[in-house]
């Protein structure tokens, strides 16, 4: 998110600006949904007189009233699985996902499509709102009308809800429309992130991890990649610095499934590949954090330990009984994902044998994702096209050249999420790879224009669009460093 300069702050330190910009509003919305989530949860457990609940409500009122004072009203509306604050779609943060999901699920259950707060609220109003919503029976179309009646009865005229639009209530994911695919993709992405985190925490605390969910998520990811690979690929631009291991595992599995699909692997094999990639670094749970996050160079002993993570991963996976019969391809894939094609890398082999197909696929996905992500010991990440150039240089010794070619076909010469300069002097973000392999340098891009007033305008443009005299209308000149332009790439993909 672009940094918002603030001239006032709420109690929680959330910047407030007179006449809020979209970025401010979005930030506040994210925080509001998180608070709403906690309040709804707390109201499920405690009664209205509970001290903790009251304190919490009091704090939230300040945030909410601060917005209504500036914007005159707050309306939170659900539309196609997203939440809009007034007219702005909220883009949730990685940590905010659970809150969004909770609010959306609860409202859907109660057949509520949104709520408007039309004036300054007091504790009694907020309390009535929360407990009335809670008391509504599930799946009754008349809920919204009943809620509004109840508010009128209590003489609360500043809170109003609208009924759920029946379109929002379609569950199940058969015949997904584009927008629905996006919603499912986001859900799968963040759920996988959470599940990997859970599995790793359980392994660390010597509990019995439940990995059946990973299998279900891998199946959905495979289905999504088969329908439209660009949606999940777009989400790999999320590089969460703090949650590197989990985020990295999800990204590697998306890339791997997409490579596997282009190779023509069966659905079953793709699911196995997806699970293998999700678990490829599971052995790192046995490496101390101090080593994993060491900002300096590792010493010999630390490096030796680090090099054991594939083997430790194999050990862990062999103990995961719920995977059923552990697939040998999974075991071998985890074992050799750092083994280069010239058999250097690790673990050292006594017998010369080339790395497995899963191992070779995961290695490409792994290196690409690791290098495009900033790390503790390398604050600056490489841009996607720089990474591809480095990988191409190593193609004979490190990677399977054919798989690397497939991978480049998948992400394009300027991979999805690259910031680029066009010959029209416009700045753009690559959004979707051109399906024609001859036109890899002509993806669809989002052109970002800054208007005079500083407002940002975005438009989706196809670079294969012809211009005059047989030339193209726009072409990429070069890749740019997003850090220098202060552009938050991720927000275009979630
Ligand atoms: Fe690894
Ligand atoms: Fe890795």
């Amino acid at each position: 998110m672009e940094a918002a300069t603030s001239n006032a702050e709420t109690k929680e330190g959330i910047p407030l600006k007179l006449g809020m910009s979209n970025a401010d509003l979005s930030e506040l919305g994210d925080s509001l949904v998180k608070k709403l989530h906690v309040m709804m949860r707390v109201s499920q457990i405690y009664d209205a007189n509970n001290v903790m609940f009251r304190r919490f409500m009091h704090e939230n009122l300040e945030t909410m009233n601060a917005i209504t004072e500036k914007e005159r009203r707050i309306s939170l509306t659900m539309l196609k699985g997203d939440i809009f604050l007034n007219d702005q779609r909220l883009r949730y943060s990685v940590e905010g996902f659970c809150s969004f999901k909770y609010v959306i699920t609860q409202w859907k259950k109660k057949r509520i499509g949104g709520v408007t707060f039309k004036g300054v609220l007091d504790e009694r109003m907020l309390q009535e709102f929360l407990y009335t919503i809670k008391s509504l029976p599930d799946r009754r179309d008349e809920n919204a009308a009943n809620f509004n009646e109840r508010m009128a009865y209590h003489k609360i005229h500043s809170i109003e809800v609208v009924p759920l639009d029946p379109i929002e209530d379609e569950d199940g994911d058969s015949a997904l429309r584009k927008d629905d695919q996006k919603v499912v993709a986001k859900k799968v992405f963040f759920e996988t992130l959470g599940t990997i985190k859970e599995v790793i925490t359980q392994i660390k605390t010597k509990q019995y991890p439940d990995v059946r969910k990973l299998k279900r998520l891998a199946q959905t990811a495979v289905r999504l990649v088969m329908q439209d690979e660009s949606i999940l690929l777009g989400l790999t631009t999320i590089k969460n610095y703090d949650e590197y291991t989990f985020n990295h595992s999800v990204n590697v599995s998306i890339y791997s499934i997409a490579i596997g699909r282009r190779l023509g692997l069966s659905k079953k094999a793709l699911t196995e590949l997806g699970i293998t990639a999700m678990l490829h670094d599971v052995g790192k749970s046995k490496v101390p954090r101090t080593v994993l996050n060491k900002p300096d160079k590792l010493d010999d002993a630390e490096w030796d330990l680090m090099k054991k993570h594939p083997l430790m991963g194999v050990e862990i996976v062999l103990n995961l009984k719920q995977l059923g019969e552990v697939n040998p391809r999974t075991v071998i894939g985890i074992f050799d994902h750092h083994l280069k094609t010239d058999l250097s890398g690790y673990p050292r082999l006594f017998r010369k044998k080339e790395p497995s197909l899963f191992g070779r696929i995961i290695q490409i996905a792994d290196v690409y994702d690791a290098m495009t992500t900033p790390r503790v010991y390398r604050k600056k990440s490489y841009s996607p096209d720089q990474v591809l150039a480095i990988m191409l240089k190593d193609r004979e010794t490190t990677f399977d050249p054919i798989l690397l070619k497939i991978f480049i076909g998948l992400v394009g010469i300027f991979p999805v999420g690259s910031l680029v300069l066009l010959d029209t002097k416009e700045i753009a973000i690559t959004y979707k790879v051109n399906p024609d392999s001859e036109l890899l340098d002509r993806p669809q891009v989002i052109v970002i224009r800054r208007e005079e007033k500083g407002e940002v305008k975005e438009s989706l443009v196809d670079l294969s669009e012809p211009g005059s005299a047989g030339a193209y209308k726009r072409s990429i000149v070069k890749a740019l460093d997003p850090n220098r332009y202060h552009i938050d790439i991720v927000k275009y993909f979630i």
Side-chain angles (χ1 to χ4, degrees):
M1 199 156 293
E2 282 172 53
T5 46
S6 59
N7 49 15
E9 280 199 345
T10 62
K11 192 173 163 231
E12 292 76 17
I14 302 159
L16 265 185
K17 230 166 49 168
L18 291 171
M20 270 176 226
S21 73
N22 287 353
D24 289 342
L25 206 58
S26 176
E27 199 174 323
L28 276 165
D30 188 47
S31 143
L32 194 63
V33 174
K34 280 187 210 154
K35 284 168 188 295
L36 202 57
H37 165 217
V38 182
M39 284 197 291
M40 284 164 78
R41 272 252 147 104
V42 175
S43 70
Q44 299 282 348
I45 307 166
Y46 298 112
D47 68 67
N49 294 319
N50 179 277
V51 184
M52 207 179 90
F53 178 65
R54 295 193 80 98
R55 201 181 53 212
F56 197 69
M57 216 166 45
H58 184 75
E59 281 176 18
N60 291 336
L61 271 172
E62 286 194 19
T63 311
M64 293 174 76
N65 287 336
I67 308 179
T68 20
E69 270 171 30
K70 306 280 177 228
E71 297 281 310
R72 300 212 355 252
R73 69 183 178 104
I74 308 175
S75 91
L76 284 171
T77 323
M78 226 155 58
L79 195 67
K80 291 181 181 163
D82 278 316
I83 297 181
F84 281 71
L85 172 61
N86 295 352
D87 293 322
Q88 175 157 4
R89 179 166 76 90
L90 295 178
R91 295 185 166 106
Y92 42 75
S93 57
V94 174
E95 325 80 63
F97 177 70
C98 289
S99 302
F100 273 73
K101 206 177 120 194
Y102 182 84
V103 172
I104 289 177
T105 317
Q106 289 299 315
W107 283 4
K108 271 191 181 173
K109 214 160 79 182
K110 305 283 183 187
R111 296 282 194 270
I112 299 290
V115 56
T116 305
F117 303 106
K118 287 181 287 191
V120 171
L121 302 182
D122 60 24
E123 258 183 55
R124 180 186 70 96
M125 296 171 179
L126 188 57
Q127 185 182 316
E128 202 58 52
F129 163 69
L130 289 166
Y131 284 93
T132 307
I133 293 259
K134 182 190 155 191
S135 69
L136 295 172
D138 289 351
R139 283 172 246 292
R140 290 273 179 79
D141 291 334
E142 60 277 17
N143 273 348
N146 290 345
F147 174 94
N148 290 335
E149 243 172 57
R150 172 100 178 251
M151 289 297 116
Y153 173 78
H154 287 287
K155 303 207 170 17
I156 300 173
H157 305 292
S158 45
I159 306 179
E160 200 179 87
V161 300
V162 289
L164 183 73
D165 187 328
I167 294 174
E168 301 297 319
D169 198 33
E170 284 167 3
D171 260 341
D173 34 36
S174 56
L176 289 171
R177 287 174 293 132
K178 259 272 151 330
D179 283 343
D180 295 337
Q181 284 180 11
K182 272 193 164 173
V183 175
V184 177
K186 272 194 273 187
K187 200 171 147 221
V188 169
F189 185 91
F190 288 107
E191 266 185 30
T192 311
L193 195 74
T195 311
I196 292 175
K197 194 171 172 177
E198 232 169 73
V199 167
I200 291 186
T201 314
Q202 283 161 334
I203 290 169
K204 272 188 179 163
T205 49
K206 301 205 166 37
Q207 294 174 57
Y208 208 52
D210 185 2
V211 285
R212 281 167 302 190
K213 207 168 153 198
L214 280 186
K215 190 172 180 183
R216 280 200 301 277
L217 288 164
Q219 281 164 340
T220 316
V222 167
R223 207 188 56 234
L224 281 168
V225 167
M226 292 181 113
Q227 283 163 347
D228 184 349
E229 63 190 15
S230 68
I231 297 176
L232 272 181
L233 281 173
L235 291 177
T236 60
T237 50
I238 299 172
K239 309 279 182 193
N240 192 335
Y241 182 77
D242 301 321
E243 309 234 335
Y244 172 73
T245 310
F246 319 123
N247 209 151
H248 169 69
S249 305
V250 182
N251 288 353
V252 170
S253 79
I254 295 173
Y255 291 132
S256 299
I257 293 171
I259 299 174
R261 188 185 85 102
R262 293 216 170 182
L263 273 178
L265 298 186
S266 71
K267 248 188 192 173
K268 192 165 166 266
L270 288 176
T271 307
E272 280 161 11
L273 175 60
I275 297 172
T276 312
M278 284 174 192
L279 295 171
H280 80 280
D281 273 340
V282 77
K284 283 192 182 170
S285 58
K286 302 271 182 213
V287 179
R289 257 176 177 271
T290 43
V291 177
L292 286 177
N293 295 333
K294 191 175 172 183
D296 313 311
K297 243 181 142 205
L298 300 182
D299 65 32
D300 284 351
E302 288 164 338
W303 188 226
D304 279 344
L305 185 64
M306 193 68 158
K307 284 198 279 196
K308 283 196 183 121
H309 83 263
L311 201 59
M312 295 193 284
V314 167
E315 245 176 77
I316 292 168
V317 166
L318 286 174
N319 282 317
L320 294 176
K321 301 235 168 47
Q322 311 98 317
L323 270 181
E325 197 120 311
V326 179
N327 193 293
R329 290 209 274 194
T330 294
V331 179
I332 299 169
I334 292 175
F335 177 79
D336 61 16
H337 77 273
H338 284 288
L339 198 62
K340 299 180 180 177
T341 38
D342 66 357
L343 300 181
S344 64
Y346 56 91
R348 293 309 289 256
L349 296 184
F350 294 110
R351 233 181 41 191
K352 301 282 177 228
K353 190 186 150 296
E354 72 158 7
S356 68
L357 178 65
F358 278 16
R360 280 177 285 154
I361 293 175
I362 292 171
Q363 179 161 65
I364 290 175
D366 179 61
V367 170
Y368 178 79
D369 185 68
M371 287 181 76
T372 46
T373 310
R375 302 298 313 280
V376 205
Y377 44 81
R378 192 192 59 234
K379 281 266 159 33
K380 196 184 155 301
S381 59
Y382 294 97
S383 67
D385 65 301
Q386 282 172 328
V387 174
L388 287 185
I390 297 170
M391 288 173 78
L392 272 168
K393 233 176 55 214
D394 294 342
R395 67 175 174 273
E396 298 301 333
T397 51
T398 307
F399 307 106
D400 178 326
I402 294 169
L403 290 179
L404 188 60
K405 207 171 160 199
I406 290 177
F407 182 68
I408 294 173
L410 187 76
V411 292
I413 297 170
F414 297 99
V416 168
S418 303
L419 187 69
V420 291
L421 178 71
L422 306 179
D423 56 357
T424 48
K425 301 247 176 355
E426 292 162 311
I427 288 181
I429 293 170
T430 53
Y431 190 67
K432 195 170 177 175
V433 175
N434 195 312
D436 183 345
S437 62
E438 299 290 307
L439 298 172
L440 283 180
D441 57 341
R442 307 219 154 263
Q444 282 182 27
V445 299
I446 299 169
V447 175
I448 305 166
R449 290 186 205 89
R450 225 173 263 277
E451 309 273 283
E452 264 178 28
K453 285 182 207 143
E455 216 177 297
V456 177
K457 280 254 152 39
E458 299 142 6
S459 49
L460 189 64
V461 165
D462 192 335
L463 292 187
S464 55
E465 198 186 323
S468 55
Y472 289 102
K473 213 166 171 184
R474 292 179 175 86
S475 300
I476 296 175
V477 178
K478 62 173 182 176
L480 300 169
D481 178 358
N483 302 312
R484 280 189 50 199
Y485 289 81
H486 304 291
I487 290 178
D488 178 18
I489 305 271
V490 177
K491 85 170 193 202
Y492 294 94
F493 294 95
I494 66 173

